[in-house]
Amino acid sequence: QQQVKQSPQSLIVQKGGISIINCAYENTAFDYFPWYQQFPGKGPALLIAIRPDVSEKKEGRFTISFNKSAKQFSLHIMDSQPGDSATYFCAATGETSGSRLTFGEGTQLTVNP
Amino acid sequence: KAGVTQTPRYLIKTRGQQVTLSCSPISGHRSVSWYQQTPGQGLQFLFEYFSETQRNKGNFPGRFSGRQFSNSRSEMNVSTLELGDSALYLCASSRRTGGGEKLFFGSGTQLSVL
């Protein structure tokens, strides 16, 4: 019940295209859903996050869509750029979990020029 | 403002040895958490410390331990190293503990156990 399932494992997109990564969770106690971006040799960096009281959050080219009833959320990267090539992790946590994040398996995104 | 600093960056040990990894959080951050990252298991939570107290612990054996000092710096220790302990160990800090706090990760310590 603690797992977060992420798909696809890898994704190749052309420059200017839309990248979509999906995640699903089971634990209804989760109430905070961040996305992290990780470049080789670096730690993950927070990209964008959402709480279940909204269905969508947009920051620049990055949008999270959230479906509470389906317990699914997704990251959309509009106008994908080669510099977006990285590994993306969805995560989830609840108020009582402290800083304990449950991460998805990760998606290796490659944006071809 | 300096980010989260982890030392050493790389470490090579042999089975049976023990190792200590260090993490200096962002100034003003009082929560430090540790994660293990491997290709097979992904990112897994080890433990969290807040104000020198362990607040949360993941599903790792007792060989993995940690502590936090009064200046919020943290160390984690792995005793009796096993080959499977080879991983990138990441430290993250935040101002407070609690779901929704923004975590800032360091670049990690890459541990190789031979």
Side-chain angles (χ1 to χ4, degrees):
Chain A
Q1 198 180 22
Q2 292 293 324
Q3 288 183 320
V4 175
K5 293 291 187 182
Q6 182 172 346
S7 63
Q9 187 175 4
S10 62
L11 181 61
I12 300 175
V13 175
Q14 291 299 116
K15 179 182 176 182
I18 302 174
S19 303
I20 301 174
I21 304 171
N22 301 299
C23 284
Y25 65 98
E26 289 293 327
N27 189 344
T28 55
F30 288 152
D31 61 3
Y32 178 70
F33 302 87
W35 284 89
Y36 283 81
Q37 179 189 55
Q38 186 177 27
F39 293 104
K42 299 292 186 182
L46 180 65
L47 200 57
I48 187 173
I50 197 168
R51 291 196 180 272
D53 53 343
V54 296
S55 60
E56 186 175 282
K57 183 174 181 180
K58 184 176 180 179
E59 289 184 2
R61 297 185 294 109
F62 301 92
T63 299
I64 300 178
S65 296
F66 189 86
N67 186 328
K68 188 174 181 178
S69 61
K71 290 187 282 188
Q72 296 175 347
F73 58 110
S74 60
L75 176 69
H76 296 233
I77 305 174
M78 312 299 287
D79 187 27
S80 298
Q81 299 296 312
D84 297 331
S85 297
T87 301
Y88 292 81
F89 293 93
C90 61
T93 188
E95 187 58 40
T96 59
S97 299
S99 296
R100 178 177 189 157
L101 289 172
T102 299
F103 282 92
E105 298 90 340
T107 297
Q108 177 73 54
L109 171 65
T110 302
V111 181
N112 289 326
Chain B
K1 205 175 206 181
V4 177
T5 304
Q6 291 188 245
T7 57
R9 186 73 180 89
Y10 301 94
L11 206 49
I12 300 175
K13 292 287 186 179
T14 56
R15 278 186 305 170
Q17 286 186 312
Q18 75 166 23
V19 66
T20 299
L21 312 181
S22 180
C23 173
S24 294
I26 292 172
S27 177
H29 285 195
R30 294 169 60 195
S31 171
V32 173
S33 49
W34 290 86
Y35 289 81
Q36 181 195 64
Q37 185 173 24
T38 60
Q41 298 297 317
L43 281 153
Q44 292 188 291
F45 173 82
L46 280 155
F47 30 65
E48 179 196 3
Y49 287 86
F50 180 76
S51 295
E52 302 178 66
T53 302
Q54 187 180 89
R55 291 302 181 105
N56 227 323
K57 190 177 190 306
N59 298 323
F60 280 83
R63 300 185 297 106
F64 292 82
S65 63
R67 59 177 176 169
Q68 187 180 33
F69 303 96
S70 59
N71 61 358
S72 293
R73 192 176 69 84
S74 177
E75 289 181 347
M76 70 162 279
N77 183 278
V78 188
S79 62
T80 318
L81 284 166
E82 300 177 0
L83 295 178
D85 296 334
S86 294
L88 179 67
Y89 290 89
L90 292 160
C91 167
S93 75
S94 61
R95 289 185 184 276
R96 295 174 292 272
T97 184
E101 284 294 320
K102 183 175 180 178
L103 296 189
F104 294 82
F105 283 84
S107 293
T109 293
Q110 183 67 55
L111 172 65
S112 296
V113 182
L114 306 178

